[in-house]
Each structure stands twice: as structure tokens, then as C-alpha cells.
Amino acid sequence: MKQMLTALIAGLLFGAGLTISTMVDPLRVLAFLDVFGDWDPTLAFVMGGALTVYLPVYQFFIKPSKRTLFNEPCHLPDKTRLDAPLLVGAILFGIGWGLSGICPGPGIANLTQGSVEIFVFIAALLIGMIGVKRAKRSH
Amino acid sequence: MQTDLFLQAYLGGMLIGAGALALMLFNGRIAGISGITASAFTTKIQEGGWRWAFLAGLIIAPLITAMAGYTLPDRIPGSLLTLTAAGILVGAGTRLGSGCTSGHGICGLSRLSFRSLIATLLFMGSAIVTVSLVRYVF
């Protein structure tokens, strides 16, 4: 129950940040990615703001102890080496992001926007995720 | 310069960072939206319920910020065909590549992870190339 409540608060903060920062607007995202055209640098400030908060606390508090404030172990990724799925996956994700201006967080935060377009995008996103899961399982 | 907008974006970014940090400090979890979404459907609700709670917060938040005038966009650009292709690429790509803008971009860079740095450079690069091709070549 405690875990549900803290995760809900985290999601609310994250979603509020996405909306206030205008990261939820695909047109703004596409203008940020259009570096050879009329480049809009606004979203670089979003990443800067997020790193300003997360990086120091992670480095000075989480990294040494690897435990939460409730003294439970943190679940941290243990992979360190580059592999083909990472490289191929990142490139494919970038193509989809460039086509739509929507990455997963802003996509989900946009659900109450309520258009056919956002539901089609999220349905396709879930199909893509399921496809990879199926493919991994069959190997 | 649009200083007001830059400040708004920076403060919004700090909120995103605070949300990601809350999930690490209290739940011990990386705030990777693609991973959380994919695992929400495949983990038992007793163990994975926090994922649904986080996603619920993400969905509800814009309804709250709207009261202060920060709203979702009026329209989502792109044809349904383009959005379908893009959605599949984003879904498949983020699972193959173990993360997206949040997991690799915010959390991974903050953890000084080499994998996340390379992934972030690659998806930023391929997104920039894609936008340029769509706008100036095709």
C-alpha cells in the first residue's frame, strides 16, 4: 500500500513536469529535433532541469548505499557492456520518436487528451512492446 | 529570447526529476516509462501494483495542472498511418534498447551509465535524422 502511494505521488510529479515543461506537445518536440531548420532549444532545458535534481541526489545518496529511504534495496540495472539490441533498439526508437514527436512518457500523459490519434499511437506502442517480448521468448 | 518559456521548461524538468527521484528514494526503482509500462502488463498485480499507481499518476497529473493553466496539446499531429508506424517503432525500440528518454536519458545519464549515454546519443541522433529527412528530403 505504501509502495502504491509513493509511486502514485512520483507519477503525479513526473506527469505534472511533462505537462508544465511542454514536453507533452509533439510539435514542440519535433521543433527541438529539427536542428537543421528553425531549431527550438526549449526542451534542452527540460533535460537540464531533470538532471539538476536527479544526478546529485543519485550520486551522493543512492549510489553509495543502494538503498531506499525505507532501507530496502534499490533495483538497479547491472548491464554495463554495449550489445546489439541496445544499439538497434535505440535507433528504432529514435526513428519512431522523430516520426511522431512522442516518446513513452508524454504519450501516456497525453491519454486524457482523448483524440483518436493518441489512442492509435499508444495501441501501436503496446503492440510493438508485445512483439519484442514474443520474439525474445521464442529464442 | 523566450526566457519565460525556457524557465518554465527548466522548472517542469525539475519536477520530472523530482518524480523520478521519488520513485528511486521510496520505491528503489528506475523511472523508465517504457519499462514500467511493459512490465505493468506482465507482472502480477501484488508485486507490480506500484507500476499501475505510477502510470495512474502520470495520466491524472495533466488534469490537475490544467487547473493552473498548463494543458495538454489541442491536437496530436500526424496521420493515423504515421502514428501507427511510429508507435510500433517506439514500443519495439524501447524494449529492445531497454529504455527511452526517461530511463536512459534522465536516470541513466544521472547514474553515469555508459550504455545509457550511447543509447541517448543514438536515439537523439536517429530522431534528428528522421525529422530532417521527413521535412527536407521526402
Side-chain angles (χ1 to χ4, degrees), chain A residues 3 54 57-58 61-78, chain B residues 20-30 111:
Chain A
Q3 289 221 324
Y54 199 99
V57 182
Y58 183 86
F61 186 80
I62 296 288
K63 200 174 185 180
S65 71
K66 296 194 169 53
R67 300 191 84 80
T68 68
L69 289 178
F70 301 127
N71 204 24
E72 285 153 1
C74 292
H75 302 258
L76 300 171
D78 46 14
Chain B
L21 195 57
L23 199 67
M24 181 54 78
L25 286 174
F26 296 116
N27 294 66
R29 296 284 179 170
I30 300 273
R111 294 190 304 111

Side-chain angles (χ1 to χ4, degrees), chain A residues 3-4 6-7 17 20 28 34 36-37 50 52 54 58-59 68-69 75 81 89-91 94 103 108 110 113 124-125 133, chain B residues 5 8 10 12-13 25 27-28 34 37 42 49-50 53 73-74 84 87 93 97 101 110-111 115 123 126-127 132 135-136:
Chain A
Q3 289 221 324
M4 301 273 281
T6 53
I20 292 170
R28 169 98 54 211
D34 186 12
F36 302 113
T52 308
Y54 199 99
Y58 183 86
Q59 288 298 324
T68 68
L69 289 178
H75 302 258
R81 299 179 67 167
I91 291 170
C103 55
I108 291 166
N110 259 310
Q113 195 262 353
L125 177 128
K133 193 171 173 61
Chain B
L5 184 60
Q8 182 185 328
Y10 187 77
L25 286 174
N27 294 66
S34 53
T37 306
T42 53
W50 67 270
D74 293 331
T84 303
T101 341
S110 289
R111 294 190 304 111
R115 273 172 62 89
F123 67 66
S126 78
S132 303
R135 293 199 170 175
Y136 308 112

